[in-house]
């Protein structure tokens, strides 16, 4: 589904990603861990196509297409979803209205059946229930006055209604209490299918108790310095990141 | 997304034309350019006016001659030559029409292009329309149905003929003919407009609407609107305006007066879409308008809602004089400027009676190289015990070449007043745009969604039909504004 080859990227002339290689197939969940400042969010933004993140080398192929040649919104309509580390507030635009517009945009592009107003409401409500969001959230301005946990659940709700092929979750677990964490994880698990894939960026192993990853990668200094299965996450939890850093330095 | 690619598409996108920029081939009667007492006498005689009205005009003119244009607005334009304007232009076909079939076919075509179907469609939606082209009212619908309720809705000219006592009593009561430079000019040369009278206890069952259109070249438009709501009555009034695209600047100097007696309520909504000029600032309407409402009676209420997207220059402060005890004034405004447009708009809330309250919600949006100023005065008189005002003035900037200013003035002469003022200036955030686009919205759709959200508190005050129109208009006005 996604092939990242030797990806280099910089922000304002500062090199952040230094040759990332990653292969993701449909049906897989990849966890990306690593110390703060390692480049995890940058990778998420580069995949989503955010302006200001300049790719200087390498390639990204998504569903057989050159992903880097597409604009942000084209990528989104092609099924790439980014759950934000810091979701944005949009005053005056109700969550329901926002969802309606985005659902229509994505479905139309993917030539899926258009939803009638009634179907739309039913669909949104069903998904809201899955992330345990009360209906009155839907009529409130998008993310405005939402608590941290509510914002993150709203991200999962958006993911659920947009039915992406590849979802990149950027620290969706940080700042969540255990109940909220379970809701988020449960949402992701319910959406796991044979034909979609997830990149779960996280700082903490505990999320991976609930979302069991197929692969775990450590991103450090803009490179994937170690990959393994879910046991790697446990080891990181136990031993911290220092041994990885040392290993990485030894290689250089 | 590469920057170059996005700029090119946006540039294409800007090339969208002003939709109402056509000129109609209506046979028009014009008088010579220029302004003097003879011209005023000529206008008055063309309109078959009584002597008192001519005297009124002449008094205004003599006063105007001694006045100078206000210089305090935050707008710039070359001096206007008031002798180079045609002060009377009227569609030739006489405006006493019994049915639409009698109207000039060109006129009907114009209506069609403007999206006004005065026939069945409006009948179904229940909006009574008065249409003013080049200062002359050409058609008023639903007159009869309304008159059964005692409601008078007609052109100003007809009102002078048929209800002179009402016109004489109320005209100039709120905006005296000497009030300000443009109001005095209007009082001297106004050619027509709308008149509306809602008798005691009557709730007007439909929206009343006036559609203003400047068509003739080299002419100015000077219309007057007068709305009187007697005790316990209610009316919702809508005003729309468009003009052809011309290289020259045309002057529009209107006067609107509202009078609400005891327990009466007037809701006045405007969608102002005069031609704004082209991308380089060539042409466009100078919109210098005086709008004022008098809450004369106890518990009376006047609400102004305006969506200002057009005009090269807007100078306009719909205001409320809260004279009756417990009266309420409201002002809800969205003012959009793009390209080289300039707007200096806001309101004045003058608390005179006891326990009066006012609300001001102003949303300015500046794009391109435009300049958008909010100017508001809240004045609380000595005897206005317990006056309350809430003001919220927000400015939204799109890009970094535009300007936004807020000039809130307070004159408080009574200690019991409770005044609350909030102001914000924000940019359409790159992060908001990115967020929307990451969810699959195209850039222009993302901008529309964000801006509509920003304007929501004002749009929700508009009658349903108008709210939809306002949203569309906003989308058109802001096309190509972020790059
Ligand atoms: N907008 C930016 N401008 C400059 N440097 C940035 C910007 N965003 C992130 N960085 C830098 O890029 C590096 C990687 O950041 P990030 O991708 O957010 O890491 P992580 O998500 O792994 O914590 C950090 O050194 C950070 O300071
Ligand atoms: Mg991060």
């Amino acid at each position: 589904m996604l092939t990242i080859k030797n990806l280099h990227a910089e922000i304002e002339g500062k090199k952040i990603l230094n040759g990332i290689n990653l292969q993701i197939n449909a049906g897989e969940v990849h966890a990306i861990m690593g110390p703060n400042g390692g480049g995890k969010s940058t990778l998420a933004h580069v995949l989503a196509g955010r302006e200001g993140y300049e790719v200087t080398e390498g390639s990204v192929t998504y569903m057989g297409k050159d992903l880097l040649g597409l604009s942000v919104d084209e990528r989104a309509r092609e099924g790439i979803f980014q759950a934000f580390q810091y979701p944005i507030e949009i005053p005056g635009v109700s969550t329901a209205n926002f969802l309606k517009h985005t659902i229509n945009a994505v479905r139309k592009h993917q030539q899926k059946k258009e939803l009638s107003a009634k179907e739309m409401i039913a669909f949104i409500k069903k998904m809201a229930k899955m992330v345990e969001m009360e209906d009155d959230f839907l009529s409130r301005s998008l993310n405005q006055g939402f608590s941290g946990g509510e914002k993150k659940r709203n991200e999962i709700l958006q993911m659920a209604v947009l039915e992406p092929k590849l979802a990149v979750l950027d620290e969706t677990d940080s700042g969540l209490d255990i109940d909220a964490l379970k809701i988020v994880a449960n949402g992701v698990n319910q959406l796991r299918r044979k034909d979609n894939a997830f990149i779960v960026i996280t700082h903490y192993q505990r999320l991976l108790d609930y979302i069991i990853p197929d692969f775990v990668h450590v991103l450090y200094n803009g490179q994937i310095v170690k990959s393994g299965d879910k046991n790697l996450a446990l080891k990181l939890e136990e031993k911290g990141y220092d041994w990885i850093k040392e290993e990485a330095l030894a290689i250089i | 997304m590469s920057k170059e690619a996005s700029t090119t598409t946006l540039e294409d996108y800007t090339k969208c034309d002003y939709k109402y920029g056509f000129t109609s081939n209506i046979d028009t009667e014009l008088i010579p350019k220029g302004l003097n007492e003879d011209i005023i006498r000529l206008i008055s005689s063309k309109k078959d006016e009584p002597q008192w009205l001519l005297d009124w005009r002449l008094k205004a003119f003599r006063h105007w001659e001694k006045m100078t244009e206000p210089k305090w607005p935050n707008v710039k334009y070359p001096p206007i030559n008031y002798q180079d304007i045609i002060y009377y232009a009227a569609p030739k076909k006489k405006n006493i029409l019994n049915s639409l079939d009698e109207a000039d076919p060109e006129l009907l075509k114009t209506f069609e292009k403007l999206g006004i179907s005065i026939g069945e469609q409006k009948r179904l939606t229940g909006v009574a329309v008065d249409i003013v082209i080049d200062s002359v009212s050409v058609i008023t619908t639903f007159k009869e149905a309304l008159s059964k309720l005692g409601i008078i809705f007609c052109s100003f000219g007809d009102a002078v003929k048929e209800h002179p006592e009402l016109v004489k009593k109320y005209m100039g009561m709120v905006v005296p003919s000497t009030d300000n430079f443009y109001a005095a000019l209007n009082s001297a040369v106004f050619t027509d407009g709308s008149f509306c009278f809602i008798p005691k206890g009557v709730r007007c069952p439909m929206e009343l609407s006036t559609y203003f259109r400047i068509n003739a070249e080299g002419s100015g438009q000077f219309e007057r609107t007068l709305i009187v709501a007697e005790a316990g009555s209610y009316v919702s009034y809508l005003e729309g305006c468009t003009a052809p695209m011309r290289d020259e600047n045309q002057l529009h100097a209107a006067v609107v007066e509202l009078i609400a007696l005891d327990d009466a309520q007037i809701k006045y909504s405007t969608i102002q879409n005069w031609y704004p000029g082209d991308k380089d600032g060539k042409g466009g309407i100078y919109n210098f308008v005086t709008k004022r409402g008098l809450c004369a009676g106890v518990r009376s209420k006047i609400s102004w809602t305006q969506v200002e997207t057009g005009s090269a220059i807007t100078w306009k402060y719909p205001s409320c004089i809260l004279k009756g005890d417990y009266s309420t004034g409201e002002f809800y405004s969205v003012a959009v400027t793009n390209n080289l447009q300039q707007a200096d708009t806001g309101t004045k809330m003058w608390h005179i009676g006891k326990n009066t309250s006012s609300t001001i919600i102003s949303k300015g949006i500046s794009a391109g190289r435009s300049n958008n100023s909010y100017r508001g005065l809240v004045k609380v008189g000595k005897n206005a015990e317990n006056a309350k005002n809430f003001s919220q003035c927000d400015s939204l900037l799109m890009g970094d070449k535009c300007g936004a200013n807020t000039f809130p003035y307070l004159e408080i002469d009574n200690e019991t007043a409770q005044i609350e003022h909030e102001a914000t200036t924000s940019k359409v955030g790159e992060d908001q745009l990115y967020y929307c686009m990451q969810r699959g919205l195209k850039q222009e759709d993302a901008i529309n969604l964000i801006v509509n959200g920003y304007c929501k508190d004002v749009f929700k005050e508009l009658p349903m039909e108008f709210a939809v129109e306002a949203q569309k208009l906003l989308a058109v006005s802001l096309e190509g504004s972020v790059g």
Side-chain angles (χ1 to χ4, degrees):
Chain A
M1 173 177 286
L2 186 78
T3 308
I4 303 177
K5 276 193 188 147
N6 190 31
L7 184 66
H8 290 250
E10 51 184 57
I11 312 168
E12 291 165 10
K14 184 180 165 196
K15 294 204 75 173
I16 313 284
L17 302 183
N18 299 303
I20 296 212
N21 292 292
L22 191 61
Q23 170 69 39
I24 294 176
N25 301 310
E28 294 175 353
V29 173
H30 290 243
I32 295 186
M33 304 180 75
N36 264 328
K40 301 185 296 293
S41 292
T42 302
L43 177 62
H45 283 128
V46 167
L47 291 177
R50 183 161 201 164
E51 215 167 307
Y53 291 73
E54 203 183 339
V55 175
T56 49
E57 216 183 313
S59 67
V60 181
T61 312
Y62 166 73
M63 312 282 295
K65 286 191 190 104
D66 170 21
L67 185 70
L68 302 177
L70 303 177
S71 66
V72 183
D73 50 319
E74 283 165 345
R75 292 181 204 197
R77 292 193 294 274
E78 288 285 334
I80 295 215
F81 181 91
Q82 177 186 14
F84 285 62
Q85 185 170 359
Y86 306 106
I88 307 298
E89 299 181 1
I90 306 187
V93 177
S94 74
T95 303
N97 190 30
F98 181 76
L99 293 177
K100 194 184 86 191
H101 276 89
T102 56
I103 291 169
N104 280 336
V106 170
R107 288 185 76 95
K108 193 173 162 203
H109 176 80
Q110 297 179 354
Q111 293 171 341
K112 288 186 186 164
K113 186 176 88 59
E114 221 174 289
L115 297 179
S116 70
K118 218 170 140 188
E119 289 168 328
M120 179 73 81
I121 292 170
F123 178 56
I124 291 174
K125 281 193 173 170
K126 184 178 126 198
M127 294 304 177
K129 207 164 186 172
M130 186 184 79
V131 293
E132 297 181 29
M133 260 169 82
E134 302 287 336
D135 285 354
D136 67 302
F137 274 96
L138 298 173
S139 53
R140 283 170 54 184
S141 286
L142 188 72
N143 289 329
Q144 209 181 22
F146 285 28
S147 72
E150 286 160 357
K151 284 183 182 171
K152 295 298 176 76
R153 273 189 276 160
N154 195 4
E155 294 293 290
I156 301 302
L157 170 60
Q158 291 174 44
M159 178 171 84
V161 299
L162 295 179
E163 304 175 311
K165 295 193 185 79
L166 175 67
V168 185
L169 278 60
D170 192 355
E171 296 206 25
T172 305
D173 56 328
S174 58
L176 295 188
D177 61 29
I178 192 71
D179 292 329
L181 185 82
K182 281 183 187 169
I183 293 169
V184 165
N186 178 47
V188 172
N189 288 330
Q190 293 208 29
L191 298 170
R192 280 176 83 159
R193 287 198 315 258
K194 276 204 201 68
D195 61 347
N196 63 14
F198 294 82
I199 297 176
V200 180
I201 295 172
T202 178
H203 220 64
Y204 305 104
Q205 192 273 335
R206 65 171 189 165
L207 176 67
L208 305 180
D209 285 340
Y210 300 99
I211 303 174
I212 313 290
D214 301 298
F215 300 93
V216 174
H217 311 278
V218 179
L219 186 57
Y220 174 61
N221 257 342
Q223 282 181 321
I224 291 180
V225 293
K226 197 153 190 79
S227 296
D229 62 10
K230 61 183 183 194
N231 292 316
L232 176 58
L234 290 166
K235 195 171 168 190
L236 289 169
E237 173 81 356
E238 193 187 316
K239 296 172 71 175
Y241 287 111
D242 287 347
W243 64 280
I244 299 255
K245 291 182 188 171
E246 277 159 30
E247 268 191 31
L249 285 171
I251 295 165
I252 299 164
Chain B
M1 178 172 54
S2 81
K3 251 193 175 129
E4 295 82 81
S6 72
T7 325
T8 344
T9 44
L10 275 173
E11 251 161 36
D12 296 340
Y13 187 51
T14 337
K15 285 180 189 138
C16 163
D17 288 330
Y18 178 69
K19 189 174 136 202
Y20 303 97
F22 58 87
T23 316
S24 308
N25 228 345
I26 302 167
D27 213 356
T28 307
E29 181 185 4
L30 299 168
I31 62 169
K33 277 183 182 174
L35 184 54
N36 51 49
E37 293 202 2
D38 287 342
I39 290 282
I40 290 167
R41 283 177 213 283
L42 183 60
I43 292 171
S44 189
S45 78
K46 287 223 174 271
K47 302 204 61 80
D48 244 340
E49 281 176 358
Q51 185 63 37
W52 65 266
L53 191 50
L54 174 61
D55 293 343
W56 199 80
R57 287 175 181 279
L58 290 171
K59 185 178 150 227
F61 176 69
R62 286 166 197 153
H63 192 86
W64 177 78
E65 281 189 303
K66 287 182 243 142
M67 299 173 98
T68 48
E69 271 172 83
K71 289 281 178 277
W72 47 264
N74 191 25
V75 298
K76 287 192 195 78
Y77 56 94
I80 297 171
N81 181 355
Y82 290 92
Q83 297 304 335
D84 198 34
I85 294 173
I86 297 170
Y87 288 88
Y88 183 86
K92 243 184 204 152
K93 184 126 186 181
K94 262 286 148 233
N95 56 335
I96 309 155
L97 301 174
N98 295 314
S99 81
L100 274 182
D101 310 331
E102 295 172 30
D104 182 337
E106 271 298 321
L107 198 63
L108 292 178
K109 260 193 242 162
T110 307
F111 296 154
E112 216 166 276
K113 280 193 216 163
L114 292 171
I116 314 168
S117 70
I118 324 154
E120 283 313 306
Q121 221 173 318
K122 287 292 173 193
R123 213 167 301 255
L124 290 174
T125 52
V127 179
V129 196
D130 181 25
I131 294 167
V132 177
I133 292 196
D134 293 337
S135 319
V136 173
S137 174
V138 287
I139 196 156
T140 309
T141 61
F142 283 108
K143 236 168 149 166
E144 264 171 58
L146 290 168
S147 76
K148 289 203 179 91
L149 294 166
I151 295 171
I152 304 167
F153 180 44
C154 63
S155 71
F156 206 92
D158 286 353
V160 169
K161 291 201 183 78
E162 290 159 27
H163 309 281
E165 69 302 335
L166 288 175
V167 176
K168 216 169 164 176
K169 179 169 174 191
Y170 291 110
M171 183 171 73
M173 183 186 261
V174 195
V175 182
S177 64
T178 53
D179 187 80
N180 68 68
F181 185 83
Y182 304 114
L185 177 64
N186 173 290
S187 301
V189 302
F190 75 93
T191 27
D192 211 337
S194 283
F195 177 78
C196 170
F197 177 85
I198 316 290
K200 207 168 162 177
V202 171
R203 196 182 161 86
C204 185
M206 59 180 83
E207 311 277 353
L208 301 186
S209 169
T210 301
Y211 203 96
F212 295 106
R213 173 84 183 162
I214 295 177
N215 192 50
E217 204 170 344
S219 66
Q221 174 145 319
F222 308 91
E223 83 278 351
R224 289 186 81 90
T225 302
L226 175 57
I227 300 176
V228 180
E230 279 200 327
S233 68
Y234 168 86
V235 63
S236 169
Y237 191 90
L238 318 171
E239 177 202 278
C241 17
T242 59
M245 285 195 275
R246 295 191 192 286
D247 287 350
E248 59 174 5
N249 293 110
Q250 284 179 290
L251 180 62
H252 174 247
V255 169
V256 177
E257 296 180 280
L258 312 183
I259 296 156
L261 304 183
D262 290 356
D263 297 293
Q265 194 180 334
I266 302 175
K267 190 172 161 56
Y268 193 104
S269 314
T270 305
I271 293 197
Q272 187 266 104
N273 185 24
W274 295 117
Y275 178 53
D278 69 8
K279 286 200 298 296
D280 304 315
K282 195 158 193 202
I285 304 295
Y286 290 166
N287 192 34
F288 300 147
V289 173
T290 305
K291 292 186 165 180
R292 199 174 299 154
L294 173 63
C295 284
V298 287
R299 290 174 302 271
S300 55
K301 180 174 174 182
I302 289 178
S303 308
W304 298 102
T305 305
Q306 59 172 22
V307 177
E308 303 281 309
T309 62
S311 297
I313 300 177
T314 300
W315 178 96
K316 175 177 169 187
Y317 315 90
S319 304
C320 296
I321 301 171
L322 303 169
K323 193 163 162 227
D325 292 347
Y326 296 96
S327 60
T328 306
E330 294 175 336
F331 174 74
Y332 301 98
S333 171
V334 166
V336 186
T337 51
N338 197 356
N339 299 318
L340 285 164
Q341 281 177 275
Q342 308 175 64
D344 193 306
T345 180
T347 186
K348 204 190 301 185
M349 293 291 174
W350 187 4
H351 295 256
I352 297 172
K354 296 187 195 347
N355 302 300
T356 50
S357 61
S358 60
T359 304
I360 298 171
I361 309 274
S362 162
K363 303 275 179 177
I365 302 169
S366 346
R369 285 175 287 159
S370 68
N371 207 340
N372 202 326
S373 299
Y374 166 81
R375 190 182 301 276
L377 170 65
V378 177
K379 186 170 169 169
V380 177
K382 243 194 244 127
N383 302 319
E385 299 292 321
N386 304 316
K388 279 199 190 93
N389 165 264
F390 173 75
S391 304
Q392 169 139 16
C393 305
D394 297 328
S395 312
L396 187 67
L397 301 172
M398 310 189 68
D400 46 18
K401 293 193 190 77
C402 50
N405 298 286
T406 310
F407 305 103
Y409 304 98
L410 290 176
E411 286 175 25
I412 313 294
D413 290 326
N414 186 306
E415 283 174 2
T416 61
Q418 292 175 43
I419 309 290
E420 228 181 301
H421 181 88
E422 290 173 13
T424 64
T425 299
S426 51
K427 278 194 165 188
V428 168
E430 188 264 336
D431 50 357
Q432 284 180 335
L433 270 180
Y434 174 64
Y435 193 66
C436 292
M437 290 169 73
Q438 206 301 307
R439 299 301 185 246
L441 300 183
K442 293 184 178 145
Q443 187 178 43
E444 58 267 34
D445 297 335
I447 292 171
N448 285 341
L449 192 69
I450 294 166
V451 173
N452 271 307
Y454 169 79
C455 298
K456 192 179 176 188
D457 290 343
V458 174
F459 285 173
K460 73 178 200 299
E461 297 297 327
L462 288 170
M464 192 57 179
E465 272 185 274
F466 254 41
V468 175
E469 200 181 323
Q471 287 191 16
K472 283 192 202 142
L473 196 57
L474 197 64
V476 172
S477 304
L478 289 174
E479 275 178 6
S481 56
V482 166

